[in-house]
Amino acid sequence: QKHALEAALLQAYAETQPPDARDVLMPYLAEPSRNEILRATALKQLGKCQEMGVLDSLIAWSQRGKPLQARIAALNGLADLATTGNPSDEQ
C-alpha cells in the first residue's frame, strides 16, 4: 500500500511537468518495490518529461534481464519520448 501511494504521488508530481522532474524521478530507479510499481512509475514519467537526457536510462531498463514490469514501463517511456522529446536522427 505504501508503495502504491508513493507511486501515485510521484506520478501526480511528474504530471505537473516541473523543471526538476528528471532529478526527482531518477533515484526511484534504484528503489525496490512490490511489482516494481515505483520503478515502473518513474520510467513511464521519465518518458513524458520530454528530456532526451533520459534516453540511455530508458534503453537500459528496457533490456532483457530487467524485471518485466520495469521493461514494459521503459518501452512505454521510450515511445513517449520518441514522440515528444524531439530526438535527433542519431538518437
Side-chain angles (χ1 to χ4, degrees):
Q1 293 290 9
K2 174 188 174 244
H3 289 142
L5 176 60
E6 193 172 357
L9 291 170
L10 186 61
Q11 180 176 344
Y13 178 75
E15 285 178 356
T16 67
Q17 296 184 339
D20 66 342
R22 177 183 175 186
D23 295 334
V24 171
L25 294 168
M26 291 298 283
Y28 283 91
L29 299 182
E31 289 291 322
S33 61
R34 187 170 188 226
N35 295 323
E36 297 296 318
I37 191 167
L38 291 176
R39 283 188 187 119
T41 300
L43 289 162
K44 285 183 212 170
Q45 295 306 315
L46 281 169
K48 293 178 182 178
C49 75
Q50 302 177 0
E51 192 174 323
M52 293 308 296
V54 301
L55 181 63
D56 290 340
S57 294
L58 291 173
I59 290 171
W61 279 95
S62 70
Q63 302 300 309
R64 197 172 269 153
K66 297 291 186 184
L68 181 61
Q69 295 89 339
R71 289 178 68 193
I72 291 169
L75 290 170
N76 287 327
L78 282 168
D80 285 338
L81 188 62
T83 59
T84 63
N86 297 317
S88 68
D89 289 340
E90 180 182 316
Q91 291 170 324

